[in-house]
């Protein structure tokens, strides 16, 4: 399988043949990718060289050895093919070998290019030929792909090749071929000043380029290493966090199971005690003094408070585990709301509070836990009644919204301040004004509501102002939106 060119110009390696090991640095991966990129680029370079040779031959007067130039240029695709075959072979051999071979391959490629370029320069005019500056391109590539030492070694090879051509032609060891420039201004190649000047310019260009490019590359690699180290650390912390979360979830589960067990164990004896006290209070066990009766009545009141805490604890434990005793089914919220309001009507009437219903015409059915949704409505509307001033009004709205149902419970009761708003969904939290208003409450109702909403993949928001009233807005997904899924319990 061949590596593909990505849209951004970078190369993607074949997923099947090459899989970088986890400890591979980004620069190593970059090097491996760029080797294939260099091979691809070289085909284009070959085409460019041939076009340049043919164009020069057609457009200018000169006596260059055209055949030898073309033969030399043919060496480029020849060694490129060998490099490609070798790269494929190494690639098939596995990632470890590829990693080891990659820097050797990059060095060999650049060396081959330098020799080919040097030969072409010599065959086309030596120092007369402005293409000598093309050595600099290879220095940039070497600086970014190889180590600093290897990049300077490549610069030295390039410089040595250029100096050999320049001095070889100057001293007559190498034949000089007259390029179009040489034809017009002959004698440059044995002009000492020109030879010295061009070698100086090329030499400094090569070394300065390598110095600048390797400095930038080293700096980038250092940053890269820092980023890699940082990302490893983040991953480690994320793993630790995950472990902590799992532990916390296990503890939470154990706590919930324990609470449920204790509450369950307490409920029956307390209910039995209540029954016995009722017999005493109602003189079923013989007549008792009024003072004693009053004490028994008080004891029963406290017992009822305890029983409602136990009831809420059981409901909360069930809600957090996603099951309020019921099966998940398609729930008709309109019918459920009417039932809940009927149940609460008496306690509302006792305090002169009216419950007004505003129900939209079209309502989607909700897929969920019927008992859970009933508990939710009972808690919200019950609270609205409980925390309303006498003769107040509670409005309950039910309407279709965003592929689900929205339930709004609005009252004009005691309300709450900002701090209370942030805490009311916490277990056992009761606001100061609520405690003053009524001792009746466990601080668990809204935690139950929140758990039920979460289980149904819904949302709950609260708007409230102290002394002015509250509005609870619950949204539950309809059956169509299929967002709510019965949790695995
Ligand atoms: P409680 O049993 O105390 O009502 P909840 O969990 O139902 O427990 O509510 C927690 C607290 O949130 C209440 O004690 C009260 O301070 C506040 N609260 C809840 N509903 C209302 C409301 N409709 N108006 C004002 N305060 C409310």
């Amino acid at each position: 399988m061949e590596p593909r060119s990505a849209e951004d110009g970078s190369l993607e390696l074949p997923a099947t043949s090459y899989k970088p090991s986890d400890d591979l640095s980004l620069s190593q991966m970059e090097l491996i990718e760029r080797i294939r990129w260099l091979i691809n680029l070289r085909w284009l370079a070959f085409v460019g060289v041939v076009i340049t040779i043919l164009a020069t031959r057609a457009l200018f007067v000169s006596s260059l050895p055209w055949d030898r130039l073309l033969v030399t240029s043919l060496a480029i695709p020849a060694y490129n093919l060998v490099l490609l075959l070798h790269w494929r072979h190494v690639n098939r051999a596995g990632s470890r070998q590829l990693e080891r071979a990659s820097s050797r391959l990059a060095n060999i490629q650049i060396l081959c290019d330098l020799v080919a370029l040097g030969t072409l320069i010599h065959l086309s005019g030596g120092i007369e030929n402005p293409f000598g500056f093309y050595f600099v391109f290879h220095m940039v590539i070497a600086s970014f792909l190889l180590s600093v030492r290897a990049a300077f070694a490549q610069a030295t090879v390039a410089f040595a090749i250029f100096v050999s051509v320049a001095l070889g032609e100057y001293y007559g060891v190498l034949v000089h071929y007259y390029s179009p420039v040489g034809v017009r201004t002959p004698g440059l190649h044995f002009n000492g000043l020109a030879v010295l000047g061009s070698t100086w310019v090329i030499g400094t260009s090569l070394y300065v380029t390598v110095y600048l490019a390797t400095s930038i590359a080293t700096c980038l690699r250092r940053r890269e290493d820092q980023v890699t180290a940082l990302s490893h650390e983040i991953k480690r912390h994320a793993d630790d966090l995950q472990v902590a979360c799992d532990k916390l979830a296990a503890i939470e589960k154990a706590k919930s199971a324990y609470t449920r067990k204790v509450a369950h164990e307490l409920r029956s004896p307390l209910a039995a005690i209540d029954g016995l006290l009722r017999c005493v209070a109602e003189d079923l066990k013989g007549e008792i003094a009024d003072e004693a009766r009053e004490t028994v009545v008080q004891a029963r009141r406290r017992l009822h408070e305890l029983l409602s805490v136990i009831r809420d604890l059981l409901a909360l434990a069930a809600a957090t585990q996603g099951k309020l005793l019921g099966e998940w089914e398609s729930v008709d919220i309109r019918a459920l709301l009417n039932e809940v309001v009927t149940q609460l009507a008496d306690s509302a009437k006792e305090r002169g509070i009216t419950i007004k219903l505003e129900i939209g015409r079209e309502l989607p059915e909700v897929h969920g836990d019927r008992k859970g949704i009933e508990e939710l409505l009972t808690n919200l509307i019950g609270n609205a009644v409980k925390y309303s001033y006498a003769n107040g009004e509670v409005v309950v709205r039910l309407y279709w919204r965003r592929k689900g149902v929205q339930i709004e419970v609005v009252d004009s009761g005691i309300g709450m301040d900002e701090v209370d708003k942030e805490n009311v969904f916490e277990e056992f939290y009761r606001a100061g004004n609520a405690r003053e208003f009524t001792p009746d409450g466990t601080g668990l109702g809204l935690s139950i509501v929140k758990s039920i909403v979460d289980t149904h993949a819904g949302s709950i928001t609260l708007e409230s102002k102290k002394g002015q009233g509250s509005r609870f807005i619950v949204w539950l997904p309809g059956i169509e939106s299929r967002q709510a899924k019965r949790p695995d319990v």
Side-chain angles (χ1 to χ4, degrees), residues 342-412:
T342 311
Q343 281 164 22
L344 292 169
D346 285 348
S347 61
K349 216 168 155 194
E350 269 173 27
R351 298 182 50 232
I353 294 164
T354 41
I355 303 177
K356 199 170 142 198
L357 289 183
E358 292 177 9
I359 302 180
R361 267 205 216 131
E362 279 186 32
L363 287 174
E365 289 202 333
V366 169
H367 180 65
D369 174 1
R370 192 177 189 283
K371 286 223 162 72
I373 298 173
E374 186 180 347
E375 181 78 31
L376 178 151
L377 292 171
T378 309
N379 271 306
L380 288 182
I381 305 170
N383 275 352
V385 171
K386 186 162 72 177
Y387 297 115
S388 278
Y389 299 112
N391 306 319
E393 185 184 67
V394 171
V395 182
V396 183
R397 297 194 182 99
L398 185 63
Y399 51 94
W400 185 93
R401 186 152 192 263
R402 285 190 295 122
K403 295 184 181 168
V405 279
Q406 185 128 312
I407 306 156
E408 274 184 41
V409 181
V410 188
D411 66 63
S412 48

Side-chain angles (χ1 to χ4, degrees), residues 466-481:
K466 202 167 183 175
Q468 293 183 21
S470 312
R471 177 204 298 259
F472 286 86
I473 305 160
V474 171
W475 177 83
L476 297 176
I479 262 178
E480 292 297 300
S481 69

Side-chain angles (χ1 to χ4, degrees), residues 163-445:
V163 170
S164 311
V165 171
L167 292 185
E169 291 184 16
Y170 179 77
Y171 287 112
V173 180
L174 293 173
V175 184
H176 175 72
Y177 301 98
Y178 284 89
S179 69
V181 178
V183 171
R184 289 192 187 185
T185 41
L188 268 180
H189 69 284
F190 56 79
N191 178 329
L193 200 62
V195 171
L196 192 70
S198 57
T199 3
W200 171 253
V201 171
I202 286 285
T204 47
S205 304
L206 293 174
Y207 285 107
V208 170
T209 304
V210 169
Y211 171 72
L212 293 178
T214 50
S215 305
I216 296 170
T218 310
C219 185
L220 289 176
R221 274 176 210 152
R222 207 176 300 134
R223 293 260 161 80
E224 205 173 85
D225 289 346
Q226 283 169 353
V227 170
T228 313
L230 217 65
S231 72
H232 281 143
E233 202 169 322
I234 290 171
K235 192 179 170 305
R236 204 164 38 78
H237 284 311
D239 291 347
D240 290 350
L241 216 64
Q242 186 57 48
V243 172
C245 279
D246 291 349
K247 271 190 194 159
L248 219 62
I251 292 170
E252 188 60 35
K253 210 170 166 190
K255 189 189 106 186
S256 162
Y258 180 73
T259 312
R260 213 143 59 111
K261 192 168 179 326
V262 172
H264 222 276
E265 296 294 320
L266 286 175
R267 192 168 54 173
S268 308
L270 285 176
I273 295 170
D274 185 44
L276 294 172
L277 288 178
R278 190 173 64 86
C279 292
V280 178
E282 291 175 5
D283 294 339
L284 299 177
K285 301 275 175 187
E287 211 167 304
I288 56 164
D290 283 350
E291 242 175 62
R293 190 190 328 280
E294 184 50 32
T295 310
V296 173
V297 168
Q298 263 182 28
R300 281 193 74 201
R301 204 174 299 133
R302 301 306 296 269
L303 208 58
H304 288 168
E305 282 170 26
L306 211 56
L307 279 166
S308 61
V309 172
I310 287 174
R311 183 206 156 274
D312 279 359
L313 275 176
L314 283 171
L316 181 64
T320 36
Q321 288 183 22
K323 49 171 183 184
L324 259 146
L325 311 168
E327 283 299 312
W328 274 42
E329 57 191 301
S330 149
V331 181
D332 178 357
I333 297 214
R334 184 200 305 257
L336 203 56
L337 180 62
N338 280 318
E339 274 175 38
V340 170
V341 169
T342 311
Q343 281 164 22
L344 292 169
D346 285 348
S347 61
K349 216 168 155 194
E350 269 173 27
R351 298 182 50 232
I353 294 164
T354 41
I355 303 177
K356 199 170 142 198
L357 289 183
E358 292 177 9
I359 302 180
R361 267 205 216 131
E362 279 186 32
L363 287 174
E365 289 202 333
V366 169
H367 180 65
D369 174 1
R370 192 177 189 283
K371 286 223 162 72
I373 298 173
E374 186 180 347
E375 181 78 31
L376 178 151
L377 292 171
T378 309
N379 271 306
L380 288 182
I381 305 170
N383 275 352
V385 171
K386 186 162 72 177
Y387 297 115
S388 278
Y389 299 112
N391 306 319
E393 185 184 67
V394 171
V395 182
V396 183
R397 297 194 182 99
L398 185 63
Y399 51 94
W400 185 93
R401 186 152 192 263
R402 285 190 295 122
K403 295 184 181 168
V405 279
Q406 185 128 312
I407 306 156
E408 274 184 41
V409 181
V410 188
D411 66 63
S412 48
I414 62 168
M416 54 190 109
D417 61 25
E418 290 303 315
V419 181
D420 295 330
K421 266 166 44 181
E422 281 171 22
N423 293 303
V424 285
F425 293 102
E426 301 293 327
E427 290 168 28
F428 297 108
Y429 185 86
R430 296 202 74 209
N433 64 340
R435 286 175 196 277
E436 282 168 21
F437 193 70
T438 168
D440 176 19
T442 60
L444 289 170

